[in-house]
Amino acid sequence: MPSRLATAVTAGAAALTRLRGGGRRLLHPAGRAFAAEVTIWGTPGPPTGVPLLDAPGRYRATARLSKGVPTPGSWPDVLGLAVRLHRAEGGPVDLLVSSAGAAPVLRHLPLPRRRFTGTYSSIMSYRAGARRLWLAALADPDSVELGRSLGEVAAAARSADAPRLVLAVASAVGPWRPFGQVALGEKLDARTDAALAFDPVGNLPPDLRLAGPLAWLRERTYAGSRRVRGASTS
């Protein structure tokens, strides 16, 4: 994209962030952050070609559940889940997904929802070599219910059995294939939450990249918001 357009989009996002005031995020300003653990089982069936998804592993993580607008209390909203894997080598990996439908025709559409337990999709596709992939976080039927509000999410995380969401991958029309899970732990304080800055474009393993023109728009929007907040993506 032309540098002038990139500068304009970044500046526009920064201006909108300033209008929110208090250093609040432009996107998904209301949320709760948690210490977490991500366990990768490996991709069932044909491998994706992305070692992070295909090879078993366990990672310390940070997770954030949020509301997009945000609407009050338990009103419907486009809900979000951000997960950062803290790797010993290669830097952090950020996965951002939004409430969506589980069916192929709906996995690329953000859908408002009341409950935090449900399907979250990357909405945008990724490229892994010649493959086109979507990533998701799905409800774990054996997990604690996350509830309808951010307060209920925080209460669920205090339960003896850590709330879990299943991580999955799919092609454009194929079924979701579970490859791991994220388990929520201790709630992080408000200052730590405010300082978090996820980068869904830059913080990816080298063999995975967001595809399509909206990836560029997303990158510039997040960059503008982070600049005003003085937040780091590392």
Side-chain angles (χ1 to χ4, degrees), residues 32-61:
R32 299 290 187 275
F34 304 88
E37 183 177 71
V38 169
T39 303
I40 305 296
W41 310 319
T43 312
T48 64
V50 182
L52 186 69
L53 310 184
D54 296 334
R58 182 169 292 178
Y59 304 90
R60 183 175 62 88

Side-chain angles (χ1 to χ4, degrees), residues 194-220:
L196 284 172
F198 297 92
D199 185 347
V201 179
N203 285 350
L204 288 174
D207 36 25
L208 191 68
R209 62 183 176 84
L210 275 171
L214 289 180
W216 175 88
L217 179 61
R218 194 176 194 183
E219 178 183 23
R220 303 317 308 169

Side-chain angles (χ1 to χ4, degrees), residues 13-117:
L16 290 172
T17 302
R18 290 190 190 95
L19 287 175
R20 282 198 179 274
R24 298 179 70 202
R25 295 170 173 84
L26 174 60
L27 304 172
H28 290 263
R32 299 290 187 275
F34 304 88
E37 183 177 71
V38 169
T39 303
I40 305 296
W41 310 319
T43 312
T48 64
V50 182
L52 186 69
L53 310 184
D54 296 334
R58 182 169 292 178
Y59 304 90
R60 183 175 62 88
T62 301
R64 185 175 191 267
L65 284 150
S66 59
K67 301 191 73 173
V69 175
T71 58
S74 60
W75 287 22
D77 204 333
V78 175
L79 307 179
L81 169 67
V83 180
R84 169 167 292 169
L85 279 65
H86 303 284
R87 300 187 299 168
E89 298 180 1
V93 168
D94 291 345
L95 166 64
L96 276 67
V97 288
S98 300
S99 54
V105 70
L106 297 176
R107 66 183 48 151
H108 48 77
L109 296 174
L111 298 177
R113 193 171 67 217
R114 289 181 181 274
R115 292 189 174 276
F116 280 88
T117 297

Side-chain angles (χ1 to χ4, degrees), residues 100-221:
V105 70
L106 297 176
R107 66 183 48 151
H108 48 77
L109 296 174
L111 298 177
R113 193 171 67 217
R114 289 181 181 274
R115 292 189 174 276
F116 280 88
T117 297
T119 297
Y120 295 82
S121 167
S122 57
I123 306 298
M124 300 167 60
S125 64
Y126 293 84
R127 287 285 184 185
R131 299 176 181 86
R132 192 178 181 197
L133 306 173
W134 275 259
L135 299 178
L138 311 176
D140 183 336
D142 298 322
S143 173
V144 175
E145 166 67 43
L146 287 171
R148 293 189 175 194
S149 68
L150 290 168
E152 290 180 7
V153 169
R158 293 194 295 269
S159 63
D161 186 17
R164 299 177 304 279
L165 290 140
V166 174
L167 300 176
V169 62
S171 64
V173 296
W176 292 115
R177 296 191 288 154
F179 66 85
Q181 70 174 20
V182 54
L184 301 184
E186 179 183 3
K187 178 180 171 292
L188 303 179
D189 60 66
R191 179 174 293 184
T192 301
D193 173 70
L196 284 172
F198 297 92
D199 185 347
V201 179
N203 285 350
L204 288 174
D207 36 25
L208 191 68
R209 62 183 176 84
L210 275 171
L214 289 180
W216 175 88
L217 179 61
R218 194 176 194 183
E219 178 183 23
R220 303 317 308 169
T221 301

